[in-house]
Amino acid sequence: MASVPVIPDSYNHVLAELECLDPLLSALRLDSSRLKCTCIDVSKRWLALGSSGGGLNLIQKDGWKQRLFLTHKEGAISQVACCLHDEDYVAVATSQGLVVVWELNQERRGKPERIYVSSEHKGRKVTALCWDTAALRVFVGDHVGKVSAIKINTSKQGKAAATFVMFPVQIITTVDSRVVQLDYLDGRLLISSLTRTYLCDTEREKFWKIGNKERDGEFGACFFPVGKNSGNQQPLIYCARPGSRMWEVNFDGEVQSTHQFKQLLSSPPLPVVTLRQDPHYTGSSCSPQSLSFSKLLYLTEHCVVTWTERGIYIFLPQSLQVLLWSEVKDIQDIAVHKSELFCLHTNGKVVHLSLLLVDRCIERLMRRGFWTLAARVSCLFQNSIVSCRARKNLPLDKLEHLKSQLDASTQQDLTAQLEELIAKLEPLDSACSSRRSSISSHESFSILDSGIYRVISRRGSQSDEDSCSLHSQTFSEDERLKEFPTHHEDEQLELESVSHASVVVEADRNETFLPFSIPLSFRSPSPLVSLQAVKESVSSFVRKTTEKIGTLHISPESRGKHEAKDDEQLPELTLNPVASPQEEKESEPQNCQLHEEDRLRDLKAATAEAIAKLQDPLVLLEPQSMRRVLQEWLVHLEEKFSQEHSPLSLEKNRTVCAENQRAVLEENLQVAPADRDPVDKEQSGILEDCIEKENTDETCASKSMCENGTDVTGPLGCGFQVSPPCTIEPDVLKDLTELTTLCFELRVFSAESAEAEKSSEGSLPPSASGTLACRFMQSYFFLLDLKRVKQCIITTCATSPNVWETYIAGLKEITCHSPVALAMESEDMLKILKLLHDLGPWDDSPLLLAHAQRLYEKFGETALRPLIKFHPSILPSDIKQLCRNDPAHFLAYLDSLVKSKPEDQRPFLLRSLLQPESVRLDWLCLAVSHDAPQRANTVDEEGNPRPRSHLFTWGYSQLILLLIKLPADFVMKEKMADICKSHGFWPGYLFLCLELDRRTEAFTNIVHLDDLSLLNGEDGSIPETIEEWKFVLHLAQNHSTASHQHSPQNGNAVSNGGPSCPDCITVENVALLLAKAIGPNRALPLLQECGLTLELSERFTSVCEILRIAEKRQRALIQSMLERCDRFLWSQQA
């Protein structure tokens, strides 16, 4: 196992992102390219987000619910400031320089109202807002250095005062350059500009310049309040200086000292704990950083936070220490409240970080069920955890419980690192051992050597003294948690749906079962939760036992001996409740690993030989030669791995697992019949149901495959091998994965399939090939590159749906124990989607497909539209495979995905999705055949368009037009034109005819559609030559004659396109269009040549006269304008 760098014990704080705000921004529609977050502020109650559209979103931090939305017509929001001492007021600055103060009226449950609008800074850019800490007064600074104060008169002081008294804006001062930052404390205003910092006494109107040396750039300054136990000590001021320096200034503006942090910042950055990526620590020092701190913010007690384009920095300036610094890129602004940091990035994204002690961070991660991340943080900060202070909140039993939640088969390195940490704690943790002995003395709680929590709930079995001792011990635990003043905020203890041990507990049962109600750190809050912990431990023990038995390749004689040893060890679980799991590992035979290495030696040699052969260009460029090399190598792979999961071995594993489950269940339910009341019987029933459900979940993928009728029968049955049956070195595993995936891509599934392919003259039937592909995936799923396999299935196995079903079943098998799969049974769709988002980023991980399949199976089409947020992790080709039985669902997803982008980006998105290009025709056929009018309504018996049929509504018309208008070759456009014509989508067909230069055909269909608006110049469909005008005129004449024969006139209707049908295509309407295009003087001879003058009415003659007059006046106007311009130019020349 490679050594992982460990963070020194001097670092005991970390920045953690425990909540993702991306769903909140998405719900507020602040994640689009048109609308994004521009400014941010935070208070105890509110999170204020200003947007580029002029809206201010006020979100209540308790539950992250949007409470208020304030609109501004004065432009985008550039600054926002919440009043900290009265959260009913908020100030906003707009891009036009106006400052608006709102009274929210939350106490009276009224509507928010504007109580002041200041235009003092109109036309300028407001760069800073700051509230008075005691009075209702707002300080405003702009880019030219002007600082003003707005005194607010509120309705709380009386309606008359609020209506008739409006205090004028007070000009505080005008400094020499742009205001960078404002801060206020105890009657003093701190102004930081580009050149220096000023201190203003606003009551006595006195001003001081801080320091003598100027600076050039954005440098911040802030007040530093003293602690509650500092007596009469005055607050301090810290001013940023160039070169990673700070001035420490007293409250009178006198510089006391200069602090240099340049050398201290040469330490490596600490990772940010987030679900977006695994935390990493390099351990290598970097060069000293010479930075400019654009803003300084006071954070909790004794801390100052600042940031640059590289990261976030938190200092302890009084002790000249760097608490931590972490790399966080592209930060635009940060708002702080106590230990919370809300970071606004330049792309409008908002990230919520918390400054936590390491042990508190791990505790919160465990509480939320993020076991893997909690384990990684524990291993990185193991030096801090070993220290006594951290172990008060993170005792040994919590770390052991954390280790039991890890998957030993896929997280071997992480489990080993956590075991090393526990080994360091065991000889030192006397407090933990004494606590265990205290618990054991009550006979209500014990930990078995398998990691199982054994809980015996006997009512009335404890004496009053024991109850009192438990109460006192609980009280001491609660007092210990209050030792750290840094994290004293209120926090609700809740079991989220993300947790593996989530369970709903009723309040009355808590009161019935427990003699005390304060939760202990080492005991579940109720017997049902304890039973859930027992269930988790049982399932974990069964899973580990199954994997251990499945991976050992032992001879029948030795297997019998080990089974006998296992039978002897099962009763010892009760006798040795505190035995270490390490002893069990040491008792295993050491020759097993040596035997595995000997077995893999031949496979390693064959793998190296196959890779060497494939690097030969003569083999690499000849598919048949590559197949022969892979067939020879596949023989060795089958010899090593195909015997591990034969039917006999699988049956034996199931038998052993069932016996282990039965033994553990009987041990954990050893309660005398006389002592068991109905409540205890109910608890045991719940436990049995949980274990039965766990066994059902372990075979969920195989059962679903069998129900779907997938033809994958064979020597492997319906089981998947999703993890290596033995330990394989990473380099060897990489080579095996490459060759196995190449076998799948070249359809080399077994030696028998190669012989069958030869006998069938080079190709197998699709059904037989699909069956072999399914068996191959089941046998070697752990050796496949899932991304490449998915692409291969989509492109080459379209005619074998059982191959895709088998692939999805394998992904489900891998993810059947994930938090999403567990939450799928009880949670609603929105919570599951939020959980999926929090577990990201997924990048292009195929495992996301398994969760998407589960969502689609449970919620149907409604689950597909929200999946557009996971693009490009999930592609339309994946959704099409999921919805192959219902293409309409795929169309709805594709349409939503395209419409989620701005209109100018939709063609680029759609073009990127058309890989390969042939899918364009498939998507076009789907789009014109779903949610479309009947073909009989758009096409007549002769195949021509029905009149006005292009005006029908098509559900996916926007998608169809986008597909048609994308660049394509001549053949592709002809095929798309045929599809549009056959389905009667005439707008697309006319567009393609003009693209293909089939103008005659386009004009013919336009006349059949009988809509004169189609003959306009916007899309190029107007005739361009005299021949085209003659052709259209003859078409109109024939169309009018046919219409007259099929529909006789009634009353005094105009037969030739008079006022009753101005949009119909008639000879007169086309003649008027001709006169407008080429002029009436040229149009009349052409009409006479075609013999159409007799069909024209007096209306045509009148319109032509009007056109002549308009043309004459237009020529006169142009001539007059030219003469005036000429006279003006000659006058300028003179």
Side-chain angles (χ1 to χ4, degrees), residues 351-403:
V351 176
H352 177 202
L353 301 177
S354 299
L355 178 63
L356 299 172
L357 288 166
V358 173
D359 53 335
R360 286 292 181 89
C361 176
I362 299 172
E363 188 179 13
R364 292 191 185 184
L365 291 173
M366 294 173 62
R367 189 184 307 150
R368 287 167 168 81
F370 302 135
W371 308 108
T372 302
L373 185 58
R376 294 188 186 280
V377 176
S378 301
C379 296
L380 282 176
F381 288 90
Q382 56 181 274
N383 292 329
S384 299
I385 296 176
V386 171
S387 65
C388 296
R389 180 170 178 173
R391 284 164 54 204
K392 290 181 180 180
N393 285 334
L394 202 64
L396 185 61
D397 50 2
K398 281 191 176 182
L399 293 176
E400 290 178 344
H401 179 63
L402 174 60
K403 189 189 75 171

Side-chain angles (χ1 to χ4, degrees), residues 941-1002:
E941 294 79 4
E942 299 176 0
N944 297 320
R946 290 190 180 274
R948 306 284 173 153
S949 60
H950 64 290
L951 300 178
F952 280 113
T953 301
W954 295 69
Y956 300 103
S957 58
Q958 295 185 20
L959 180 62
I960 297 172
L961 291 175
L962 282 174
L963 289 170
I964 290 172
K965 293 181 179 180
L966 286 178
D969 55 20
F970 187 83
V971 177
M972 178 66 70
K973 289 182 179 180
E974 282 189 331
K975 293 180 179 178
M976 291 192 295
D978 295 338
I979 293 174
C980 291
K981 184 177 181 180
S982 62
H983 290 82
F985 186 71
W986 303 118
Y989 179 68
L990 295 178
F991 175 82
L992 289 170
C993 285
L994 296 174
E995 287 280 311
L996 295 169
D997 202 20
R998 289 152 52 172
R999 300 178 62 83
T1000 303
E1001 190 174 350

Side-chain angles (χ1 to χ4, degrees), residues 545-566:
T545 306
T546 305
E547 293 170 353
K548 186 179 297 183
I549 295 175
T551 54
L552 295 179
H553 182 74
I554 312 175
S555 61
E557 294 81 4
S558 59
R559 184 182 293 113
K561 296 180 182 179
H562 288 299
E563 289 177 355
K565 290 183 179 180
D566 290 339

Side-chain angles (χ1 to χ4, degrees), residues 194-358:
L194 294 176
T195 57
R196 61 172 67 248
T197 304
Y198 302 86
L199 183 62
C200 309
D201 189 334
T202 57
E203 297 177 358
R204 296 185 293 174
E205 296 185 357
K206 291 186 177 181
F207 304 90
W208 299 272
K209 292 181 181 179
I210 297 179
N212 297 321
K213 296 182 179 180
E214 293 187 354
R215 64 202 182 190
D216 185 15
E218 294 188 0
F219 295 90
C222 70
F223 286 107
F224 193 86
V226 296
K228 298 179 180 179
N229 301 324
S230 302
N232 297 325
Q233 182 181 352
Q234 287 188 327
L236 297 174
I237 300 171
Y238 285 98
C239 305
R241 298 292 299 169
S244 303
R245 292 179 296 163
M246 286 186 197
W247 275 346
E248 182 175 308
V249 186
N250 62 18
F251 207 53
D252 295 327
E254 300 173 352
V255 178
Q256 302 294 315
S257 60
T258 302
H259 300 323
Q260 175 62 264
F261 295 99
K262 181 177 181 180
Q263 297 298 328
L264 296 176
L265 291 175
S266 61
S267 59
L270 295 186
V272 177
V273 177
T274 174
L275 293 174
R276 303 175 190 272
Q277 59 183 4
D278 293 335
H280 294 287
Y281 179 74
T282 58
S284 57
S285 300
C286 56
S287 58
Q289 302 182 55
S290 180
L291 304 174
S292 300
F293 304 134
S294 58
K295 283 188 180 180
L296 298 179
L297 300 176
Y298 175 73
L299 180 68
T300 66
E301 295 187 7
H302 313 301
C303 295
V304 170
V305 62
T306 184
W307 67 93
T308 65
E309 66 279 357
R310 183 177 180 184
I312 299 176
Y313 306 83
I314 301 179
F315 301 103
L316 299 174
Q318 288 183 306
S319 57
L320 196 59
Q321 293 180 3
V322 178
L323 184 67
L324 63 87
W325 81 274
S326 300
E327 285 189 344
V328 183
K329 304 290 186 180
D330 301 327
I331 296 180
Q332 176 181 329
D333 197 7
I334 290 181
V336 301
H337 180 259
K338 293 187 177 179
S339 61
E340 294 180 307
L341 291 82
F342 291 85
C343 306
L344 173 63
H345 292 258
T346 54
N347 58 359
K349 181 181 177 182
V350 179
V351 176
H352 177 202
L353 301 177
S354 299
L355 178 63
L356 299 172
L357 288 166
V358 173

Side-chain angles (χ1 to χ4, degrees), residues 713-730:
T713 57
L716 294 175
C718 288
F720 274 89
Q721 183 64 30
V722 296
S723 59
C726 59
T727 304
I728 304 176
E729 298 176 3

Side-chain angles (χ1 to χ4, degrees), residues 106 205 323 360 378 400 406 459 590 596 647 741 807 820 915 969 1042 1092 1132:
Q106 290 295 294
E205 296 185 357
L323 184 67
R360 286 292 181 89
S378 301
E400 290 178 344
L406 300 179
R459 301 176 62 184
Q590 298 180 356
E596 289 178 357
T741 307
Y807 176 74
V820 180
Q915 300 294 335
D969 55 20
L1092 300 175
Q1132 292 295 322

